[in-house]
Amino acid sequence: QVQLVESGGGLVQPGGSLRLSCAVSGTIFSINTMGWYRQAPGKQRDLVAQVTRGGTFYYADSVKGRFTISRDGAKNTVYLQMNMLKPEDTAVYYCNVVAYSSGYDVSPNSYWGQGTQVTVSS
C-alpha cells in the first residue's frame, strides 16, 4: 500500500517561512509527478506546485517567487519551502503523487497525503 506522510505545517506570522515535507512509502514502480495542493475552507482544492519525473517545475501565479518545490529521490520525499508567507496562504496543504505501482500498470494512480494545516496570522 502506498502511503504519503506529511509534516511541517503550523502557525506562522506574515512574512515568515515554513518547510513542508512529504515522505512516500510503499510499492511504487515509478513516479510521474510529485506536487502540493491547498484548500481553504469553502474553497476548491488548487494546485500550488509540481515537479515531474523529467524535472519540469510548475508554480501557481499566486506563489511564484515565494515557494519552492524540491525532491529527494533517494528518500522518496518531496518538499515545499514557503517564504514570505501571507494570510491568504492559510489553507490545508495536501501532498500528491501520481505513480505506477508496478511495471504492468497501463495507467498511473493518484495518491494523496492526509493534509497539514498552514495558518498565517499575526
Side-chain angles (χ1 to χ4, degrees):
Q1 181 178 349
V2 176
Q3 187 175 37
L4 279 60
V5 180
E6 300 174 340
S7 62
L11 175 65
V12 65
Q13 64 183 6
S17 299
L18 284 175
R19 183 177 176 85
L20 306 183
S21 298
C22 175
V24 183
S25 63
T27 302
I28 295 180
F29 180 75
S30 65
I31 295 176
N32 283 6
T33 66
M34 307 181 80
W36 292 91
Y37 291 71
R38 68 184 181 187
Q39 186 171 26
K43 306 295 183 180
Q44 66 180 28
R45 185 176 299 184
D46 294 324
L47 177 63
V48 176
Q50 184 180 76
V51 58
T52 70
R53 178 176 56 201
T56 301
F57 294 87
Y58 166 84
Y59 295 96
D61 288 341
S62 59
V63 307
K64 195 171 299 182
R66 300 187 296 119
F67 290 11
T68 302
I69 187 171
S70 61
R71 59 182 178 180
D72 185 331
K75 297 181 178 180
N76 276 346
T77 302
V78 61
Y79 306 92
L80 185 67
Q81 178 66 47
M82 304 183 293
N83 299 323
M84 298 177 287
L85 283 162
K86 306 174 181 180
E88 51 262 44
D89 294 319
T90 296
V92 177
Y93 284 70
Y94 296 90
C95 180
N96 171 257
V97 172
V98 177
Y100 291 94
S101 59
S102 77
Y104 300 102
D105 289 347
V106 296
S107 61
N109 298 118
S110 183
Y111 304 95
W112 294 90
Q114 79 284 354
T116 184
Q117 178 70 48
V118 172
T119 302
V120 184
S121 176
S122 58

